[in-house]
PDB file of all heavy atoms in Angstrom:
ATOM      1  N   TYR A   1      -5.872  -2.170  15.659  1.00 92.00           N
ATOM      2  CA  TYR A   1      -5.719  -3.408  14.894  1.00 92.00           C
ATOM      3  C   TYR A   1      -6.440  -4.550  15.606  1.00 92.00           C
ATOM      4  O   TYR A   1      -6.282  -4.760  16.809  1.00 92.00           O
ATOM      5  CB  TYR A   1      -4.227  -3.746  14.737  1.00 92.00           C
ATOM      6  CG  TYR A   1      -3.974  -5.176  14.325  1.00 92.00           C
ATOM      7  CD1 TYR A   1      -4.358  -5.622  13.062  1.00 92.00           C
ATOM      8  CD2 TYR A   1      -3.372  -6.081  15.207  1.00 92.00           C
ATOM      9  CE1 TYR A   1      -4.135  -6.930  12.683  1.00 92.00           C
ATOM     10  CE2 TYR A   1      -3.143  -7.391  14.829  1.00 92.00           C
ATOM     11  CZ  TYR A   1      -3.532  -7.816  13.576  1.00 92.00           C
ATOM     12  OH  TYR A   1      -3.327  -9.122  13.203  1.00 92.00           O
ATOM     13  N   ARG A   2      -7.253  -5.298  14.850  1.00 91.00           N
ATOM     14  CA  ARG A   2      -7.994  -6.419  15.428  1.00 91.00           C
ATOM     15  C   ARG A   2      -7.528  -7.774  14.915  1.00 91.00           C
ATOM     16  O   ARG A   2      -7.612  -8.772  15.604  1.00 91.00           O
ATOM     17  CB  ARG A   2      -9.488  -6.245  15.130  1.00 91.00           C
ATOM     18  CG  ARG A   2     -10.132  -5.102  15.886  1.00 91.00           C
ATOM     19  CD  ARG A   2     -10.235  -5.389  17.369  1.00 91.00           C
ATOM     20  NE  ARG A   2     -11.085  -6.542  17.618  1.00 91.00           N
ATOM     21  CZ  ARG A   2     -12.420  -6.495  17.729  1.00 91.00           C
ATOM     22  NH1 ARG A   2     -13.047  -5.332  17.596  1.00 91.00           N
ATOM     23  NH2 ARG A   2     -13.115  -7.577  17.967  1.00 91.00           N
ATOM     24  N   GLY A   3      -7.045  -7.844  13.672  1.00 92.00           N
ATOM     25  CA  GLY A   3      -6.617  -9.130  13.136  1.00 92.00           C
ATOM     26  C   GLY A   3      -6.669  -9.118  11.619  1.00 92.00           C
ATOM     27  O   GLY A   3      -6.736  -8.066  10.986  1.00 92.00           O
ATOM     28  N   ILE A   4      -6.657 -10.313  11.025  1.00 94.00           N
ATOM     29  CA  ILE A   4      -6.744 -10.431   9.570  1.00 94.00           C
ATOM     30  C   ILE A   4      -7.814 -11.455   9.209  1.00 94.00           C
ATOM     31  O   ILE A   4      -8.240 -12.261  10.041  1.00 94.00           O
ATOM     32  CB  ILE A   4      -5.408 -10.848   8.932  1.00 94.00           C
ATOM     33  CG1 ILE A   4      -5.043 -12.291   9.332  1.00 94.00           C
ATOM     34  CG2 ILE A   4      -4.295  -9.882   9.277  1.00 94.00           C
ATOM     35  CD1 ILE A   4      -3.910 -12.882   8.517  1.00 94.00           C
ATOM     36  N   VAL A   5      -8.228 -11.416   7.969  1.00 94.00           N
ATOM     37  CA  VAL A   5      -9.042 -12.478   7.372  1.00 94.00           C
ATOM     38  C   VAL A   5      -8.343 -12.853   6.074  1.00 94.00           C
ATOM     39  O   VAL A   5      -8.101 -11.990   5.226  1.00 94.00           O
ATOM     40  CB  VAL A   5     -10.486 -12.025   7.099  1.00 94.00           C
ATOM     41  CG1 VAL A   5     -11.230 -13.095   6.304  1.00 94.00           C
ATOM     42  CG2 VAL A   5     -11.216 -11.754   8.411  1.00 94.00           C
ATOM     43  N   SER A   6      -7.977 -14.123   5.930  1.00 92.00           N
ATOM     44  CA  SER A   6      -7.230 -14.563   4.760  1.00 92.00           C
ATOM     45  C   SER A   6      -8.164 -15.137   3.702  1.00 92.00           C
ATOM     46  O   SER A   6      -9.301 -15.509   3.986  1.00 92.00           O
ATOM     47  CB  SER A   6      -6.195 -15.615   5.153  1.00 92.00           C
ATOM     48  OG  SER A   6      -6.838 -16.812   5.550  1.00 92.00           O
ATOM     49  N   ARG A   7      -7.658 -15.208   2.499  1.00 89.00           N
ATOM     50  CA  ARG A   7      -8.403 -15.808   1.399  1.00 89.00           C
ATOM     51  C   ARG A   7      -8.771 -17.255   1.731  1.00 89.00           C
ATOM     52  O   ARG A   7      -9.907 -17.677   1.551  1.00 89.00           O
ATOM     53  CB  ARG A   7      -7.560 -15.763   0.125  1.00 89.00           C
ATOM     54  CG  ARG A   7      -8.200 -16.465  -1.074  1.00 89.00           C
ATOM     55  CD  ARG A   7      -7.216 -16.574  -2.226  1.00 89.00           C
ATOM     56  NE  ARG A   7      -6.843 -15.263  -2.718  1.00 89.00           N
ATOM     57  CZ  ARG A   7      -7.525 -14.599  -3.630  1.00 89.00           C
ATOM     58  NH1 ARG A   7      -8.624 -15.123  -4.154  1.00 89.00           N
ATOM     59  NH2 ARG A   7      -7.126 -13.425  -4.049  1.00 89.00           N
ATOM     60  N   ARG A   8      -7.795 -18.021   2.232  1.00 86.00           N
ATOM     61  CA  ARG A   8      -8.057 -19.422   2.537  1.00 86.00           C
ATOM     62  C   ARG A   8      -9.067 -19.566   3.670  1.00 86.00           C
ATOM     63  O   ARG A   8      -9.927 -20.427   3.655  1.00 86.00           O
ATOM     64  CB  ARG A   8      -6.756 -20.137   2.912  1.00 86.00           C
ATOM     65  CG  ARG A   8      -6.912 -21.645   3.007  1.00 86.00           C
ATOM     66  CD  ARG A   8      -5.609 -22.329   3.264  1.00 86.00           C
ATOM     67  NE  ARG A   8      -5.176 -22.204   4.641  1.00 86.00           N
ATOM     68  CZ  ARG A   8      -4.070 -22.751   5.126  1.00 86.00           C
ATOM     69  NH1 ARG A   8      -3.268 -23.428   4.315  1.00 86.00           N
ATOM     70  NH2 ARG A   8      -3.739 -22.612   6.385  1.00 86.00           N
ATOM     71  N   GLN A   9      -8.948 -18.707   4.673  1.00 84.00           N
ATOM     72  CA  GLN A   9      -9.867 -18.739   5.796  1.00 84.00           C
ATOM     73  C   GLN A   9     -11.299 -18.506   5.341  1.00 84.00           C
ATOM     74  O   GLN A   9     -12.221 -19.209   5.756  1.00 84.00           O
ATOM     75  CB  GLN A   9      -9.453 -17.662   6.805  1.00 84.00           C
ATOM     76  CG  GLN A   9     -10.328 -17.558   8.047  1.00 84.00           C
ATOM     77  CD  GLN A   9      -9.931 -16.360   8.888  1.00 84.00           C
ATOM     78  OE1 GLN A   9      -8.887 -15.743   8.656  1.00 84.00           O
ATOM     79  NE2 GLN A   9     -10.754 -16.010   9.853  1.00 84.00           N
ATOM     80  N   LEU A  10     -11.484 -17.531   4.466  1.00 84.00           N
ATOM     81  CA  LEU A  10     -12.824 -17.204   3.998  1.00 84.00           C
ATOM     82  C   LEU A  10     -13.372 -18.317   3.116  1.00 84.00           C
ATOM     83  O   LEU A  10     -14.545 -18.691   3.207  1.00 84.00           O
ATOM     84  CB  LEU A  10     -12.791 -15.889   3.224  1.00 84.00           C
ATOM     85  CG  LEU A  10     -14.123 -15.137   3.089  1.00 84.00           C
ATOM     86  CD1 LEU A  10     -14.674 -14.758   4.452  1.00 84.00           C
ATOM     87  CD2 LEU A  10     -13.938 -13.886   2.237  1.00 84.00           C
ATOM     88  N   ALA A  11     -12.499 -18.893   2.271  1.00 80.00           N
ATOM     89  CA  ALA A  11     -12.939 -19.951   1.371  1.00 80.00           C
ATOM     90  C   ALA A  11     -13.220 -21.252   2.105  1.00 80.00           C
ATOM     91  O   ALA A  11     -14.016 -22.075   1.647  1.00 80.00           O
ATOM     92  CB  ALA A  11     -11.877 -20.186   0.296  1.00 80.00           C
ATOM     93  N   SER A  12     -12.591 -21.437   3.266  1.00 73.00           N
ATOM     94  CA  SER A  12     -12.715 -22.704   3.983  1.00 73.00           C
ATOM     95  C   SER A  12     -13.908 -22.741   4.932  1.00 73.00           C
ATOM     96  O   SER A  12     -14.204 -23.782   5.513  1.00 73.00           O
ATOM     97  CB  SER A  12     -11.439 -22.987   4.790  1.00 73.00           C
ATOM     98  OG  SER A  12     -10.329 -23.105   3.940  1.00 73.00           O
ATOM     99  N   SER A  13     -14.577 -21.615   5.105  1.00 72.00           N
ATOM    100  CA  SER A  13     -15.693 -21.573   6.049  1.00 72.00           C
ATOM    101  C   SER A  13     -16.993 -21.263   5.318  1.00 72.00           C
ATOM    102  O   SER A  13     -17.001 -20.707   4.227  1.00 72.00           O
ATOM    103  CB  SER A  13     -15.429 -20.513   7.122  1.00 72.00           C
ATOM    104  OG  SER A  13     -15.222 -19.243   6.531  1.00 72.00           O
ATOM    105  N   SER A  14     -18.082 -21.660   5.942  1.00 69.00           N
ATOM    106  CA  SER A  14     -19.409 -21.399   5.382  1.00 69.00           C
ATOM    107  C   SER A  14     -20.054 -20.275   6.187  1.00 69.00           C
ATOM    108  O   SER A  14     -20.369 -20.450   7.363  1.00 69.00           O
ATOM    109  CB  SER A  14     -20.280 -22.661   5.445  1.00 69.00           C
ATOM    110  OG  SER A  14     -19.678 -23.702   4.714  1.00 69.00           O
ATOM    111  N   ASN A  15     -20.215 -19.124   5.579  1.00 68.00           N
ATOM    112  CA  ASN A  15     -20.738 -17.957   6.284  1.00 68.00           C
ATOM    113  C   ASN A  15     -21.823 -17.257   5.487  1.00 68.00           C
ATOM    114  O   ASN A  15     -21.813 -17.283   4.254  1.00 68.00           O
ATOM    115  CB  ASN A  15     -19.607 -16.952   6.554  1.00 68.00           C
ATOM    116  CG  ASN A  15     -18.500 -17.526   7.402  1.00 68.00           C
ATOM    117  OD1 ASN A  15     -18.705 -17.820   8.561  1.00 68.00           O
ATOM    118  ND2 ASN A  15     -17.325 -17.690   6.817  1.00 68.00           N
ATOM    119  N   GLN A  16     -22.740 -16.652   6.192  1.00 74.00           N
ATOM    120  CA  GLN A  16     -23.748 -15.823   5.561  1.00 74.00           C
ATOM    121  C   GLN A  16     -23.104 -14.513   5.107  1.00 74.00           C
ATOM    122  O   GLN A  16     -22.372 -13.884   5.872  1.00 74.00           O
ATOM    123  CB  GLN A  16     -24.885 -15.519   6.545  1.00 74.00           C
ATOM    124  CG  GLN A  16     -25.681 -16.741   6.974  1.00 74.00           C
ATOM    125  CD  GLN A  16     -26.395 -17.388   5.800  1.00 74.00           C
ATOM    126  OE1 GLN A  16     -26.872 -16.698   4.896  1.00 74.00           O
ATOM    127  NE2 GLN A  16     -26.458 -18.715   5.804  1.00 74.00           N
ATOM    128  N   PRO A  17     -23.352 -14.092   3.866  1.00 71.00           N
ATOM    129  CA  PRO A  17     -22.734 -12.854   3.366  1.00 71.00           C
ATOM    130  C   PRO A  17     -23.054 -11.638   4.223  1.00 71.00           C
ATOM    131  O   PRO A  17     -22.290 -10.680   4.247  1.00 71.00           O
ATOM    132  CB  PRO A  17     -23.334 -12.717   1.964  1.00 71.00           C
ATOM    133  CG  PRO A  17     -23.708 -14.112   1.568  1.00 71.00           C
ATOM    134  CD  PRO A  17     -24.154 -14.770   2.840  1.00 71.00           C
ATOM    135  N   SER A  18     -24.192 -11.677   4.932  1.00 80.00           N
ATOM    136  CA  SER A  18     -24.587 -10.524   5.747  1.00 80.00           C
ATOM    137  C   SER A  18     -23.814 -10.442   7.065  1.00 80.00           C
ATOM    138  O   SER A  18     -23.853  -9.422   7.745  1.00 80.00           O
ATOM    139  CB  SER A  18     -26.088 -10.589   6.041  1.00 80.00           C
ATOM    140  OG  SER A  18     -26.410 -11.793   6.714  1.00 80.00           O
ATOM    141  N   LYS A  19     -23.106 -11.514   7.424  1.00 88.00           N
ATOM    142  CA  LYS A  19     -22.314 -11.487   8.647  1.00 88.00           C
ATOM    143  C   LYS A  19     -21.226 -10.428   8.545  1.00 88.00           C
ATOM    144  O   LYS A  19     -20.778 -10.059   7.460  1.00 88.00           O
ATOM    145  CB  LYS A  19     -21.668 -12.856   8.910  1.00 88.00           C
ATOM    146  CG  LYS A  19     -22.582 -13.847   9.613  1.00 88.00           C
ATOM    147  CD  LYS A  19     -21.771 -15.057  10.082  1.00 88.00           C
ATOM    148  CE  LYS A  19     -22.618 -15.975  10.938  1.00 88.00           C
ATOM    149  NZ  LYS A  19     -21.828 -17.122  11.441  1.00 88.00           N
ATOM    150  N   LYS A  20     -20.780  -9.971   9.711  1.00 92.00           N
ATOM    151  CA  LYS A  20     -19.749  -8.946   9.737  1.00 92.00           C
ATOM    152  C   LYS A  20     -18.365  -9.595   9.768  1.00 92.00           C
ATOM    153  O   LYS A  20     -18.178 -10.680  10.325  1.00 92.00           O
ATOM    154  CB  LYS A  20     -19.926  -8.046  10.966  1.00 92.00           C
ATOM    155  CG  LYS A  20     -21.322  -7.453  11.103  1.00 92.00           C
ATOM    156  CD  LYS A  20     -21.731  -6.639   9.872  1.00 92.00           C
ATOM    157  CE  LYS A  20     -23.116  -6.020  10.047  1.00 92.00           C
ATOM    158  NZ  LYS A  20     -23.579  -5.330   8.817  1.00 92.00           N
ATOM    159  N   VAL A  21     -17.404  -8.909   9.175  1.00 92.00           N
ATOM    160  CA  VAL A  21     -16.066  -9.468   9.095  1.00 92.00           C
ATOM    161  C   VAL A  21     -15.450  -9.650  10.482  1.00 92.00           C
ATOM    162  O   VAL A  21     -14.597 -10.513  10.692  1.00 92.00           O
ATOM    163  CB  VAL A  21     -15.168  -8.587   8.204  1.00 92.00           C
ATOM    164  CG1 VAL A  21     -14.893  -7.237   8.860  1.00 92.00           C
ATOM    165  CG2 VAL A  21     -13.859  -9.295   7.894  1.00 92.00           C
ATOM    166  N   GLY A  22     -15.926  -8.860  11.441  1.00 90.00           N
ATOM    167  CA  GLY A  22     -15.406  -8.993  12.801  1.00 90.00           C
ATOM    168  C   GLY A  22     -15.619 -10.368  13.392  1.00 90.00           C
ATOM    169  O   GLY A  22     -14.855 -10.813  14.253  1.00 90.00           O
ATOM    170  N   SER A  23     -16.643 -11.085  12.905  1.00 89.00           N
ATOM    171  CA  SER A  23     -16.929 -12.423  13.426  1.00 89.00           C
ATOM    172  C   SER A  23     -15.944 -13.457  12.903  1.00 89.00           C
ATOM    173  O   SER A  23     -15.884 -14.579  13.409  1.00 89.00           O
ATOM    174  CB  SER A  23     -18.356 -12.839  13.052  1.00 89.00           C
ATOM    175  OG  SER A  23     -18.487 -12.999  11.642  1.00 89.00           O
ATOM    176  N   GLN A  24     -15.171 -13.106  11.870  1.00 89.00           N
ATOM    177  CA  GLN A  24     -14.236 -14.056  11.259  1.00 89.00           C
ATOM    178  C   GLN A  24     -12.775 -13.680  11.476  1.00 89.00           C
ATOM    179  O   GLN A  24     -11.880 -14.322  10.939  1.00 89.00           O
ATOM    180  CB  GLN A  24     -14.500 -14.134   9.751  1.00 89.00           C
ATOM    181  CG  GLN A  24     -15.829 -14.756   9.384  1.00 89.00           C
ATOM    182  CD  GLN A  24     -15.910 -16.199   9.875  1.00 89.00           C
ATOM    183  OE1 GLN A  24     -15.066 -17.013   9.562  1.00 89.00           O
ATOM    184  NE2 GLN A  24     -16.940 -16.493  10.661  1.00 89.00           N
ATOM    185  N   VAL A  25     -12.544 -12.672  12.292  1.00 90.00           N
ATOM    186  CA  VAL A  25     -11.183 -12.185  12.481  1.00 90.00           C
ATOM    187  C   VAL A  25     -10.291 -13.252  13.132  1.00 90.00           C
ATOM    188  O   VAL A  25     -10.684 -13.902  14.098  1.00 90.00           O
ATOM    189  CB  VAL A  25     -11.177 -10.914  13.352  1.00 90.00           C
ATOM    190  CG1 VAL A  25      -9.783 -10.631  13.892  1.00 90.00           C
ATOM    191  CG2 VAL A  25     -11.642  -9.722  12.542  1.00 90.00           C
ATOM    192  N   LYS A  26      -9.126 -13.416  12.565  1.00 87.00           N
ATOM    193  CA  LYS A  26      -8.102 -14.270  13.155  1.00 87.00           C
ATOM    194  C   LYS A  26      -6.994 -13.356  13.643  1.00 87.00           C
ATOM    195  O   LYS A  26      -6.416 -12.595  12.874  1.00 87.00           O
ATOM    196  CB  LYS A  26      -7.550 -15.254  12.120  1.00 87.00           C
ATOM    197  CG  LYS A  26      -6.396 -16.098  12.631  1.00 87.00           C
ATOM    198  CD  LYS A  26      -5.884 -17.025  11.541  1.00 87.00           C
ATOM    199  CE  LYS A  26      -4.702 -17.844  12.032  1.00 87.00           C
ATOM    200  NZ  LYS A  26      -4.182 -18.737  10.973  1.00 87.00           N
ATOM    201  N   HIS A  27      -6.714 -13.427  14.933  1.00 84.00           N
ATOM    202  CA  HIS A  27      -5.667 -12.551  15.465  1.00 84.00           C
ATOM    203  C   HIS A  27      -4.306 -13.168  15.173  1.00 84.00           C
ATOM    204  O   HIS A  27      -4.003 -14.272  15.602  1.00 84.00           O
ATOM    205  CB  HIS A  27      -5.817 -12.335  16.964  1.00 84.00           C
ATOM    206  CG  HIS A  27      -4.799 -11.369  17.497  1.00 84.00           C
ATOM    207  ND1 HIS A  27      -4.932 -10.011  17.356  1.00 84.00           N
ATOM    208  CD2 HIS A  27      -3.615 -11.571  18.126  1.00 84.00           C
ATOM    209  CE1 HIS A  27      -3.888  -9.410  17.889  1.00 84.00           C
ATOM    210  NE2 HIS A  27      -3.064 -10.334  18.356  1.00 84.00           N
ATOM    211  N   VAL A  28      -3.510 -12.455  14.401  1.00 87.00           N
ATOM    212  CA  VAL A  28      -2.130 -12.862  14.164  1.00 87.00           C
ATOM    213  C   VAL A  28      -1.245 -11.740  14.689  1.00 87.00           C
ATOM    214  O   VAL A  28      -1.654 -10.577  14.718  1.00 87.00           O
ATOM    215  CB  VAL A  28      -1.852 -13.125  12.671  1.00 87.00           C
ATOM    216  CG1 VAL A  28      -2.761 -14.223  12.134  1.00 87.00           C
ATOM    217  CG2 VAL A  28      -2.016 -11.854  11.844  1.00 87.00           C
ATOM    218  N   PRO A  29      -0.053 -12.080  15.132  1.00 86.00           N
ATOM    219  CA  PRO A  29       0.808 -11.052  15.728  1.00 86.00           C
ATOM    220  C   PRO A  29       1.196  -9.972  14.737  1.00 86.00           C
ATOM    221  O   PRO A  29       1.449 -10.245  13.561  1.00 86.00           O
ATOM    222  CB  PRO A  29       2.032 -11.846  16.197  1.00 86.00           C
ATOM    223  CG  PRO A  29       2.016 -13.099  15.379  1.00 86.00           C
ATOM    224  CD  PRO A  29       0.575 -13.405  15.140  1.00 86.00           C
ATOM    225  N   ALA A  30       1.216  -8.744  15.209  1.00 90.00           N
ATOM    226  CA  ALA A  30       1.710  -7.630  14.415  1.00 90.00           C
ATOM    227  C   ALA A  30       3.190  -7.434  14.724  1.00 90.00           C
ATOM    228  O   ALA A  30       3.662  -7.786  15.807  1.00 90.00           O
ATOM    229  CB  ALA A  30       0.924  -6.358  14.733  1.00 90.00           C
ATOM    230  N   VAL A  31       3.932  -6.897  13.773  1.00 92.00           N
ATOM    231  CA  VAL A  31       5.368  -6.696  13.964  1.00 92.00           C
ATOM    232  C   VAL A  31       5.728  -5.242  13.721  1.00 92.00           C
ATOM    233  O   VAL A  31       4.970  -4.494  13.096  1.00 92.00           O
ATOM    234  CB  VAL A  31       6.183  -7.611  13.010  1.00 92.00           C
ATOM    235  CG1 VAL A  31       5.920  -9.068  13.330  1.00 92.00           C
ATOM    236  CG2 VAL A  31       5.853  -7.325  11.543  1.00 92.00           C
ATOM    237  N   GLU A  32       6.883  -4.864  14.203  1.00 92.00           N
ATOM    238  CA  GLU A  32       7.389  -3.513  13.972  1.00 92.00           C
ATOM    239  C   GLU A  32       8.171  -3.467  12.658  1.00 92.00           C
ATOM    240  O   GLU A  32       8.614  -4.500  12.147  1.00 92.00           O
ATOM    241  CB  GLU A  32       8.291  -3.076  15.132  1.00 92.00           C
ATOM    242  CG  GLU A  32       7.590  -3.034  16.481  1.00 92.00           C
ATOM    243  CD  GLU A  32       6.530  -1.949  16.559  1.00 92.00           C
ATOM    244  OE1 GLU A  32       6.702  -0.910  15.876  1.00 92.00           O
ATOM    245  OE2 GLU A  32       5.550  -2.131  17.293  1.00 92.00           O
ATOM    246  N   ARG A  33       8.356  -2.280  12.134  1.00 90.00           N
ATOM    247  CA  ARG A  33       9.033  -2.119  10.837  1.00 90.00           C
ATOM    248  C   ARG A  33      10.476  -2.603  10.869  1.00 90.00           C
ATOM    249  O   ARG A  33      11.040  -2.961   9.836  1.00 90.00           O
ATOM    250  CB  ARG A  33       8.995  -0.653  10.418  1.00 90.00           C
ATOM    251  CG  ARG A  33       7.596  -0.139  10.131  1.00 90.00           C
ATOM    252  CD  ARG A  33       7.562   1.375  10.009  1.00 90.00           C
ATOM    253  NE  ARG A  33       8.348   1.875   8.883  1.00 90.00           N
ATOM    254  CZ  ARG A  33       8.458   3.158   8.578  1.00 90.00           C
ATOM    255  NH1 ARG A  33       7.831   4.066   9.321  1.00 90.00           N
ATOM    256  NH2 ARG A  33       9.179   3.538   7.548  1.00 90.00           N
TER     257      ARG A  33
END
């Protein structure tokens, strides 16, 4: 697990479509079930 990319995060930033999603990853804590 590396992180998430949210709808708001993607809409709020200006990025080249060819960029990789790894460059926009936001690390949020993971939880147990």
Side-chain angles (χ1 to χ4, degrees):
Y1 163 67
R2 290 290 297 275
I4 67 167
V5 172
S6 68
R7 175 189 296 274
R8 190 175 76 178
Q9 180 187 349
L10 201 61
S12 298
S13 57
S14 300
N15 300 293
Q16 295 297 324
S18 58
K19 276 192 173 182
K20 307 303 182 185
V21 68
S23 66
Q24 293 298 305
V25 163
K26 175 181 178 181
H27 184 79
V28 301
V31 297
E32 299 293 330
R33 294 168 64 180

